[in-house]
């Protein structure tokens, strides 16, 4: 199905099942510990051996020699794979560094060997007996010192640098100006389930039970890395214990398990030990962001500039902090740039809301500071600079990226496309009312509650809605039961549930009559889980397949009725409800029509150029109240509210869970999360959950989420949009702004730990 004109009314609009706050259908499996995660797949193939990955002890340089003798002689050891004996390996398209290093080393904890043994403990013990002789080279590890050499990078097919009007001139002419620099920390995804894979070869056929967000990307890059055809690889990822972007791409666990299983001639399971994850896999790069805003005295922005620097290995992409500044606020003169400095730290890559999460963390403090300079309420300032068209929409440079524009499309490119729908102002209005914003003291540092200094902050939430081609297969059996198959993944987000809701709505059956099978490369290729495109795109694929199945069912009904001379059955006005198809006075059960052979339909939703004619985004407003201990400078979040406008909400319960999870991650970024770099040796020091702090339940006392009633027919037949990443966008800045309101101390360097506040606290107890 081609989706190239806005959606009109369709069966989803009934909202009998879709739009209902259904609990996750996979919930009981999770809460009883019976959902099989990759490392639990002990039953899929017999005789599994254990692989243990050894990471490089240097960040850059070469392996001079490796002595494996003691490890090989260690009890239970079956084989050891290194770059020397692994055979020729290519680099996956979506990997920046090689997944198996040697002799060249590109980053600390890059895998240099996998030891295979009968037990995990034997493999681990033997790995520690490997002696590696390294020649260490000098590396670049400090973003601050490398920043001047940063070069502009395109991000997700969007230009690295943009310019509209004359920024410099307008900025210097502006009567009210702000020019400040902000920084965000290196961050680790820290999902609960570390990367893990069971690999088994059957002749030249490889099967991987793994934990991966994007099944087809995983298969493609494994095929490329091993130089074998895609058809020879089956990748299964039924349950995933969180990903946040860390599992978008093929990673070490999968490749090492495949190589180890080939060498050992038996299945091998590999889990990355927690302490290997932050340096071996991917992280979100730290950023340094300079923001300049000029405005007239009435608060109208006349110039807005945002420059962002991040770091990555050679060839790696940007954490593009400036992208949202092209679309969020009005202003005739603008400039943005996203630069990347070369660092020899581990590979930086996408983490939940890449670009916007750190970008808004900086921009939304700057907006708060500017409002204060203007003597305006920060909500009033944002509303004054709202815009219904995109002020700066650069053409996407032509490249191999499927999302980029062809040269002829670039000529037709509209530099100021309208938003499909934009309710940012409404989010603030609804939120201000609900949160009691009028009780905020505009003068900072004055509100006390016992030992706490109390303050409120706001920030905009903003994230683009991406749509991606997605296929599904639906089957109907003689019991009237519907089975959906697609390689879509559920990374803890609720994909199983919203896909079941979609199929139930389309086929007119109760939810219990739908089975959803996900995360298997033998199923049709879906959009996968990333960039908050998964929910809307994958359900649209299921919608398309169900439209086809409905046609097949209706055709079958007409054929059967024709045999009994009841030929007045009209396919076009057929209604699917209560497990039946109805037209006029006729109704037949779906099971009867499916018969013993069953009926099957498969289709793909393909998106036309609506996402180029309209800018599709999701919006929200964050409200946060904090207490800062007047004596210690320690911050406690007291309550949070997010008001979101993100198209039709397919399931308010799972969507709320996504938003509160993302808000929690925003609190982590604001107050605690930071991978600390050892600048001598080039690695992240706090590489486990003891040293890398994330918020726990006790840190998050009260959260509320309101979804504005919205449908977006430009986006998809579901009229939905992404929501999984919106909640983190702006959340950190709302915390920072609340801290400022509580204390009068403006911190521009995340995370806002007490050492950055304590010396400047207004009162001592
Ligand atoms: Mo997301 S960072 O694309 O999983």
């Amino acid at each position: 199905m081609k989706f190239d004109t806005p959606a009109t009314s369709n069966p989803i609009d009934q909202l009998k099942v879709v739009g209902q706050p259904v609990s996750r259908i996979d919930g009981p499996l999770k809460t009883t510990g019976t959902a099989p995660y990759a490392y639990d797949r002990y039953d899929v193939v017999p005789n599994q051996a254990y692989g243990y990955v050894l990471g490089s002890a240097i960040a850059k340089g070469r392996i001079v020699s490796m002595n494996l003798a003691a490890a090989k002689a260690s009890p239970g050891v079956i084989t050891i794979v290194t770059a020397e004996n692994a055979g020729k390996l290519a680099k996956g398209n979506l990997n920046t560094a090689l997944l198996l290093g040697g002799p060249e080393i590109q980053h600390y904890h890059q895998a240099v060997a996998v030891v295979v043994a009968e037990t995990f403990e034997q493999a681990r013990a033997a790995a520690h007996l490997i002696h590696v002789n390294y020649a260490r080279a000098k590396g670049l590890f400090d973003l601050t010192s490398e920043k001047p050499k940063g070069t502009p990078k395109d991000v997700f097919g969007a230009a690295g640098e943009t310019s509209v009007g004359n920024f410099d001139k307008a900025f210097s002419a502006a009567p009210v100006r702000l020019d400040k620099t902000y920084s965000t920390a290196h961050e680790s995804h820290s999902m609960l389930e570390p990367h893990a894979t069971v690999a088994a070869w059957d002749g030249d056929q490889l099967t991987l039970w793994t934990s991966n967000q994007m099944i087809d990307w995983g298969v493609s890059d494994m095929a490329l890395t091993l130089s074998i055809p895609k058809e020879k690889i089956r990748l299964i990822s039924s349950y995933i214990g969180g990903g946040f972007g860390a599992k978008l791409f093929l990673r070490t666990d999968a490749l090492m398990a495949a190589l180890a299983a080939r060498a050992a001639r038996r299945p091998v399971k590999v889990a990355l030990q927690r302490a290997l994850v932050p340096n071996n896999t991917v992280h979100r790069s730290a950023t340094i962001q300079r923001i300049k805003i000029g405005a007239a005295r009435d608060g109208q922005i006349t110039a807005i500039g945002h420059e962002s620097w991040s770091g990555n290995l050679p060839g790696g992409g940007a954490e593009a902090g400036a992208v949202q500044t092209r679309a969020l606020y009005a202003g005739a003169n603008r400039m943005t740039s996203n630069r990347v400095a070369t660092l020899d730290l581990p590979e930086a890559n996408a983490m939940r809301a890449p670009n916007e999460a750190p970008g808004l963390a900086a921009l939304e403090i700057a907006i708060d500071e500017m409002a204060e300079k203007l003597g305006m309420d920060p909500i009033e300032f944002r509303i004054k600079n709202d815009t219904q068209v995109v002020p700066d929409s650069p053409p996407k440079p032509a490249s191999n990226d499927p999302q980029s524009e062809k040269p002829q499309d670039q000529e037709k490119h509209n530099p100021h496309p309208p938003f499909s729908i934009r309710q940012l102002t409404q989010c603030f209005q609804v939120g201000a009312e609900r949160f009691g914003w009028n009780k905020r003291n505009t003068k900072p540092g004055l509100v006390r509650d016992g030992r706490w200094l109390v303050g409120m902050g706001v920030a905009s939430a903003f994230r683009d809605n991406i749509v991606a081609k997605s296929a599904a297969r639906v089957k109907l059996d003689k019991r009237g039961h519907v089975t959906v198959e697609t390689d879509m993944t559920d990374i803890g987000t609720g994909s199983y549930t919203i896909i079941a809701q979609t199929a139930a709505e389309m086929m007119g059956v109760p939810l219990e009559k739908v089975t959803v099978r996900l995360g298997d490369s033998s199923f049709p290729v879906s959009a996968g889980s990333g960039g908050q495109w998964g929910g809307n795109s994958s359900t649209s694929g299921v919608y398309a397949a169900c439209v086809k199945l409905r046609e097949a069912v209706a055709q079958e009904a007409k054929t059967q009725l024709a045999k009994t001379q009841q030929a007045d059955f009209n396919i076009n006005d057929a209604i699917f409800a209560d497990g039946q198809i109805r037209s006029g006075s006729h109704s037949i059960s779906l099971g009867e029509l499916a018969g013993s052979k069953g009926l099957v339909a498969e289709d793909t939703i393909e998106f036309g150029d609506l996402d180029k004619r309209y800018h599709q985004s999701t919006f929200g407003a964050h409200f946060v109240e904090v207490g800062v201990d007047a004596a210690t400078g320690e911050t406690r979040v007291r309550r949070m509210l997010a008001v979101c406008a993100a198209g039709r909400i397919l399931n308010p319960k799972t969507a709320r869970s996504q938003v509160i999870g993302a808000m929690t991650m925003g609190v982590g970024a604001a107050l605690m999360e930071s991978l600390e770099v050892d600048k001598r040796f080039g690695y992240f020091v706090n590489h486990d959950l003891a040293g890398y702090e994330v918020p726990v339940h006790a840190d998050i006392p009260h959260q509320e989420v309101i979804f504005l009633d919205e449908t977006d027919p430009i986006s998809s037949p579901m009229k939905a949009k992404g929501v999984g990443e919106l909640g983190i966008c702006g959340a950190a800045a709302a915390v920072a702004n609340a801290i400022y309101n509580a204390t009068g101390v403006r911190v521009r360097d995340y995370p806002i730990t007490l050492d950055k506040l304590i010396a400047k606290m207004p009162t001592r107890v």
Side-chain angles (χ1 to χ4, degrees), residues 213 243-246 248 350-354 491 529-533 725:
Q213 298 174 222
F244 311 119
L248 285 168
M351 176 167 147
R352 202 173 199 172
I491 60 177
S529 297
Q532 77 170 10
W533 63 63
E725 295 183 332

